[in-house]
Amino acid sequence: MSEMFLEIRDVSKIYRTGGLIGSAKLAAVDRINLALSKGRPNILSIVGESGSGKTTLARMVMRLIRPTHGEIVIDGVSTSGRLSRAQMKEFRRRVQPIFQNPFESFSYRKTVDTYLFETAHNILGVRSKDAAHQAVDRALRNVGLSAERVIGRYPNQFSGGELQRVSVARAMIPNPELLVADEPVSMIDASLRMNVVNLFKALRDEFQVNILYITHDLSTAYYVSDLIAIMYRGNIVEYGPSSKILREPAHPYTELLLDSVAKIGVKWGEVVRLPDLETKEYGYVGCKFAARCPYAQPICRTTPPPRVHTADKREVLCFKLTDYQPVDAPAAQ
Ligand code: SF4
């Protein structure tokens, strides 16, 4: 029996860009390995700016797209290929999505409880109306709502924060073991974001659910995560315990992200985004961050950086942490 609950094994997603002539391959996700063990559940944040590959990775975990290479394994069973009907049903029970925009998750023509009862019947598998009602009521209470407040109402009768709570309640009905939340607070009023983020912590602790939290928002990631993976152009450039990474970043890109968050009134997306470089960077032979990195050396442009395992249990994709001596470094005495 596997000791891991979730394993992302050497996963890539390659797209073709351009027309028939001059087309090129672009690795939106480039040979990623990540795992969540069984036992104590974790919130693993995948953090990156637009174009980092974080949403593509989440979509592969949710089986919305297939990896070009590698596999995603849940409790020892690969979920990346074809699944039988029974396996698919089990997958949907164990892994539940929460999407970015709650107003797009529900049709404006249907009352939101329609989705809750469908989940209770089709995924949890309850037969009777009473059992479905109990499951829905329980899930709503677990996210701080009630059946009286929710049943019979349409999406436009809720605030964004409330509707996202209904989405979380729907996802929790089948007692999943993994929630994949893709930018779940980015469309919500800033004042209500922490309510949803706090809800994730409570669900992890009370219901032992693992959460893959996909975000570009470093501040909520810092607050909520046990583990953080920082993505850049399809690679995980730094991975490990969130407190260590965000207090003492080891990768120059993480350093840049934290530095830009610290500047009052400046969103880091505005600081680091260089669109003209974007497509070129995916195709770099060496480090994809080399054109922006203040520590770059000639080797960084010609050779893929090594994945370095540090004593404090992180992984960093960079030459800076190796014995490699920069050309202009003073010779050791
Ligand atoms: S490998 Fe080189 S260019 Fe890339 S982040 Fe490290 S020091 Fe900078």
Side-chain angles (χ1 to χ4, degrees):
M1 207 183 206
S2 173
E3 287 181 2
M4 292 295 164
F5 170 65
L6 169 70
E7 293 167 89
I8 296 173
R9 294 183 184 160
D10 208 19
V11 163
S12 299
K13 184 69 188 175
I14 316 279
Y15 292 109
R16 262 188 193 284
T17 58
L20 280 176
I21 302 166
S23 75
K25 286 180 178 174
L26 182 152
V29 169
D30 193 6
R31 309 202 81 145
I32 280 185
N33 288 284
L34 277 176
L36 287 173
S37 59
K38 288 182 182 167
R40 186 185 180 277
N42 281 295
I43 299 178
L44 165 57
S45 291
I46 313 279
V47 182
E49 60 187 317
S50 157
S52 61
K54 61 187 189 304
T55 293
T56 305
L57 181 62
R59 289 170 68 80
M60 287 191 279
V61 174
M62 290 187 278
R63 272 183 64 84
L64 297 175
I65 51 175
R66 297 238 177 124
T68 312
H69 178 270
E71 62 178 353
I72 293 166
V73 176
I74 304 269
D75 202 4
V77 177
S78 174
T79 62
S80 300
R82 277 189 173 279
L83 295 183
S84 67
R85 224 182 145 115
Q87 285 174 319
M88 194 59 216
K89 195 171 174 190
E90 182 61 2
F91 176 81
R92 290 174 75 205
R93 192 201 63 71
R94 297 182 102 169
V95 181
Q96 277 289 311
I98 296 165
F99 295 107
Q100 181 175 21
N101 187 346
F103 290 98
E104 285 177 2
S105 304
F106 299 97
S107 163
Y108 70 94
R109 295 169 198 231
K110 292 183 184 174
T111 57
V112 297
D113 56 278
T114 314
Y115 296 86
L116 302 175
F117 285 109
E118 272 175 14
T119 304
H121 286 296
N122 300 340
I123 303 181
L124 181 61
V126 297
R127 296 267 173 258
S128 73
K129 263 190 176 179
D130 273 0
H133 198 281
Q134 275 176 22
V136 167
D137 186 48
R138 192 168 48 238
L140 288 170
R141 285 183 196 285
N142 290 339
V143 301
L145 294 168
S146 65
E148 298 73 44
R149 167 77 187 107
V150 171
I151 289 176
R153 291 180 199 262
Y154 290 87
N156 63 358
Q157 293 176 282
F158 297 91
S159 69
E162 259 185 328
L163 200 57
Q164 196 59 300
R165 278 177 179 263
V166 178
S167 299
V168 177
R170 191 211 57 75
M172 289 299 293
I173 286 173
N175 308 313
E177 290 149 82
L178 176 66
L179 293 180
V180 183
D182 186 8
E183 298 275 12
V185 296
S186 63
M187 306 293 283
I188 295 175
D189 208 68
S191 61
L192 300 171
R193 279 182 199 157
M194 291 315 282
N195 290 345
V196 175
V197 168
N198 276 324
L199 177 60
F200 287 144
K201 280 184 156 187
L203 294 176
R204 174 199 60 192
D205 296 339
E206 275 179 50
F207 301 101
Q208 306 295 297
V209 62
N210 288 286
I211 299 171
L212 209 56
Y213 176 61
I214 314 299
T215 186
H216 69 282
D217 177 3
L218 214 50
S219 52
T220 54
Y222 177 62
Y223 179 73
V224 77
S225 317
D226 302 297
L227 298 161
I228 284 192
I230 306 280
M231 282 192 77
Y232 187 80
R233 303 285 178 258
N235 290 131
I236 290 178
V237 295
E238 186 162 3
Y239 168 72
S242 62
S243 54
K244 291 189 177 145
I245 289 182
L246 297 176
R247 283 200 193 117
E248 290 171 52
H251 193 280
Y253 178 59
T254 320
E255 215 175 89
L256 176 70
L257 292 186
L258 285 165
D259 199 34
S260 40
V261 166
K263 287 178 191 150
I264 294 166
V266 180
K267 290 180 184 166
W268 59 264
E270 292 165 9
V271 174
V272 297
R273 195 174 168 78
L274 294 176
D276 50 326
L277 269 181
E278 217 167 273
T279 313
K280 278 190 200 161
E281 283 179 333
Y282 285 106
Y284 283 178
V285 182
C287 174
K288 291 173 186 169
F289 190 57
R292 296 166 163 195
C293 180
Y295 309 99
Q297 296 298 318
I299 194 174
C300 303
R301 297 191 173 85
T302 56
T303 311
R307 186 162 296 284
V308 179
H309 293 256
T310 67
D312 62 0
K313 296 193 174 150
R314 28 182 152 167
E315 293 176 23
V316 186
L317 195 68
C318 185
F319 281 110
K320 204 167 141 253
L321 277 71
T322 65
D323 291 337
Y324 163 70
Q325 291 291 307
V327 284
D328 54 356
Q333 299 296 307

